mmCIF file of all heavy atoms in Angstrom:
data_model
loop_
_atom_site.group_PDB
_atom_site.id
_atom_site.type_symbol
_atom_site.label_atom_id
_atom_site.label_comp_id
_atom_site.label_asym_id
_atom_site.label_seq_id
_atom_site.Cartn_x
_atom_site.Cartn_y
_atom_site.Cartn_z
ATOM 1 N N HIS A 70 110.246 107.777 101.667
ATOM 2 C CA HIS A 70 109.216 107.746 100.553
ATOM 3 C C HIS A 70 110.173 107.665 99.220
ATOM 4 O O HIS A 70 111.033 108.322 99.140
ATOM 5 C CB HIS A 70 108.271 108.746 100.679
ATOM 6 C CG HIS A 70 107.533 108.923 101.889
ATOM 7 N ND1 HIS A 70 106.731 107.894 102.439
ATOM 8 C CD2 HIS A 70 107.563 109.897 102.745
ATOM 9 C CE1 HIS A 70 106.357 108.340 103.667
ATOM 10 N NE2 HIS A 70 106.713 109.513 103.856
ATOM 11 N N HIS A 82 107.833 116.837 97.677
ATOM 12 C CA HIS A 82 108.689 116.897 96.397
ATOM 13 C C HIS A 82 109.231 118.259 96.095
ATOM 14 O O HIS A 82 110.274 118.422 95.417
ATOM 15 C CB HIS A 82 107.799 116.351 95.190
ATOM 16 C CG HIS A 82 106.884 117.453 94.740
ATOM 17 N ND1 HIS A 82 105.682 117.623 95.408
ATOM 18 C CD2 HIS A 82 106.730 118.262 93.638
ATOM 19 C CE1 HIS A 82 105.038 118.606 94.697
ATOM 20 N NE2 HIS A 82 105.664 119.008 93.708
ATOM 21 N N VAL A 83 108.854 119.245 96.791
ATOM 22 C CA VAL A 83 109.339 120.578 96.638
ATOM 23 C C VAL A 83 110.236 120.911 97.884
ATOM 24 O O VAL A 83 111.296 121.427 97.842
ATOM 25 C CB VAL A 83 108.173 121.589 96.497
ATOM 26 C CG1 VAL A 83 108.751 123.091 96.580
ATOM 27 C CG2 VAL A 83 107.316 121.329 95.248
ATOM 28 N N SER A 223 153.241 111.308 111.785
ATOM 29 C CA SER A 223 152.388 111.774 110.795
ATOM 30 C C SER A 223 151.336 110.727 110.356
ATOM 31 O O SER A 223 151.591 109.657 110.346
ATOM 32 C CB SER A 223 153.216 112.159 109.504
ATOM 33 O OG SER A 223 152.310 112.417 108.395
ATOM 34 N N SER A 299 171.061 93.364 109.222
ATOM 35 C CA SER A 299 170.194 92.490 108.344
ATOM 36 C C SER A 299 169.576 91.369 109.207
ATOM 37 O O SER A 299 168.610 90.815 108.777
ATOM 38 C CB SER A 299 171.065 91.897 107.180
ATOM 39 O OG SER A 299 172.166 91.226 107.763
ATOM 40 N N THR A 337 157.102 124.658 87.075
ATOM 41 C CA THR A 337 156.592 123.725 88.069
ATOM 42 C C THR A 337 156.532 124.373 89.410
ATOM 43 O O THR A 337 157.474 125.007 89.988
ATOM 44 C CB THR A 337 157.550 122.525 88.237
ATOM 45 O OG1 THR A 337 157.944 121.986 86.991
ATOM 46 C CG2 THR A 337 156.896 121.336 89.186
#
Side-chain angles (χ1 to χ4, degrees):
H70 307 297
H82 71 288
V83 177
S223 172
S299 55
T337 311

